[in-house]
């Protein structure tokens, strides 16, 4: 175990925990609001471990939506993880299948963004242990905060505005990743499409926005020759 790389991962993800904590509390509270108990909150957090899809699934369960619709919605929202996996896979090429399974389980937006940024800037980083430092920290904090949210239930005042912290987490990841024209165009186009497509069924707007944003970024890079960030 490379403890230095692991500690660095923990250190790098620490600022994002300020947004993850209220995010987890909101997910736990949503479990109670949907009429589910603590075991369901723990089960969702451990098995699904995906905040956006958990919230969407809980909202549908609270509306008595068919289980097939709930599952389909969660799957569609999490399809972005396929893109993350494909992107980060080359860095994990030499790991065993067992390790790859573990790393895949704890893959999140934050773990992906921080790890890939670190790999690109520091080729000497122990990839596995840095990634685990980020991902395991996120996993542990998510479990604790969702359980706390479920226990607190509706006791958390609306005035705290916990929901506001959720987009801030993603903004904290997005802004440092905008390094050139291609990434800037991808961010702007993806954001606009996400807003326009917010009303699409099964939360397809997120997936469509991801695809369109990536395409716009690739096209921009092909035109500019990828020299903006050099």
């Amino acid at each position: 175990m490379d403890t230095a790389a692991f500690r660095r991962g923990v250190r790098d993800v620490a600022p994002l925990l300020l947004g993850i904590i209220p995010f987890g509390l909101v997910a736990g509270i949503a479990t109670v609001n949907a009429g589910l108990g603590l075991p369901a909150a723990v089960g969702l957090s451990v098995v699904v471990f995906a905040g956006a899809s958990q919230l969407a699934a809980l909202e549908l369960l609270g509306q008595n939506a068919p289980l097939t619709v709930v599952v389909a919605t969660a799957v569609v929202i999490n399809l972005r993880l396929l893109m993350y996996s494909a992107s980060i896979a080359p860095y994990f090429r030499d790991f065993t299948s067992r390790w790859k399974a573990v790393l895949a389980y704890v893959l999140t937006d934050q773990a992906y963004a921080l790890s890939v940024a670190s790999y690109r800037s520091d080729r000497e980083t122990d990839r596995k242990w840095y990634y685990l430092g980020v991902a395991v920290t996120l996993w542990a904090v998510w479990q604790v905060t969702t359980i706390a949210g479920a226990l607190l239930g509706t006791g958390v005042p609306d005035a705290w505005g916990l929901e506001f912290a959720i987009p801030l987490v993603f903004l904290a990841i997005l802004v440092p990743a905008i390094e050139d024209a291609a990434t800037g165009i991808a961010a702007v186009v993806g954001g606009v499409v996400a807003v326009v497509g917010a009303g699409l069924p099964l939360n397809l707007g997120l997936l469509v926005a991801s695809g369109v944003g990536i395409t716009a970024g690739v096209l921009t890079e092909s035109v500019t020759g990828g020299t903006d960030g050099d």
Side-chain angles (χ1 to χ4, degrees):
M1 175 178 179
D2 188 333
T3 55
F6 187 88
R7 287 197 300 268
R8 183 183 162 207
V10 174
R11 182 193 66 207
D12 288 352
V13 78
L16 296 182
L17 299 181
L18 295 176
I20 295 297
I21 290 172
F23 195 174
L25 290 172
V26 169
I29 293 170
T31 305
V32 175
N33 291 341
L36 305 177
L38 182 61
V42 174
L44 277 172
S45 292
V46 172
V47 176
V48 180
F49 185 46
S53 62
Q54 282 181 229
L55 290 175
L58 288 168
E59 181 179 355
L60 291 171
L61 287 172
Q63 298 172 358
N64 296 316
L67 184 59
T68 52
V69 173
V70 175
V71 173
T73 299
V75 169
V76 168
I77 292 175
N78 286 335
L79 283 178
R80 72 191 188 284
L81 297 178
L82 286 174
M83 295 184 287
Y84 295 164
S85 297
S87 174
I88 205 171
Y91 297 107
F92 296 163
R93 184 184 300 113
D94 297 329
F95 299 160
T96 64
S97 297
R98 182 174 298 179
W99 270 116
K100 288 178 181 178
V102 172
L103 300 177
Y105 166 63
V106 290
L107 178 63
T108 60
D109 303 275
Q110 298 84 1
Y112 167 79
L114 289 176
S115 297
V116 169
S118 175
Y119 300 160
R120 290 173 176 171
S121 63
D122 183 4
R123 295 175 182 266
E124 301 302 318
T125 298
D126 186 308
R127 295 169 181 172
K128 178 170 65 179
W129 290 108
Y130 177 86
Y131 178 90
L132 287 173
V134 174
V136 171
T137 300
L138 289 166
W139 184 89
V141 171
W142 182 257
Q143 307 309 319
V144 171
T145 53
T146 51
I147 292 172
L151 292 174
L152 289 171
T154 56
V156 177
D158 292 337
W160 286 15
L162 295 179
E163 292 87 350
F164 184 67
I166 298 174
L168 292 182
V169 175
F170 292 96
L171 282 174
I173 298 172
L174 172 66
V175 174
I178 300 176
E179 301 174 339
D180 50 29
T183 51
I185 292 296
V188 172
V189 172
V192 170
V193 174
V195 172
V196 173
L200 291 176
L202 300 179
N203 284 288
L204 281 171
L206 180 62
L207 185 61
V208 172
S210 299
V212 174
I214 290 171
T215 301
V218 170
L219 291 175
T220 301
E221 187 170 30
S222 67
V223 172
T224 62
T227 59
D228 296 50
D230 295 341

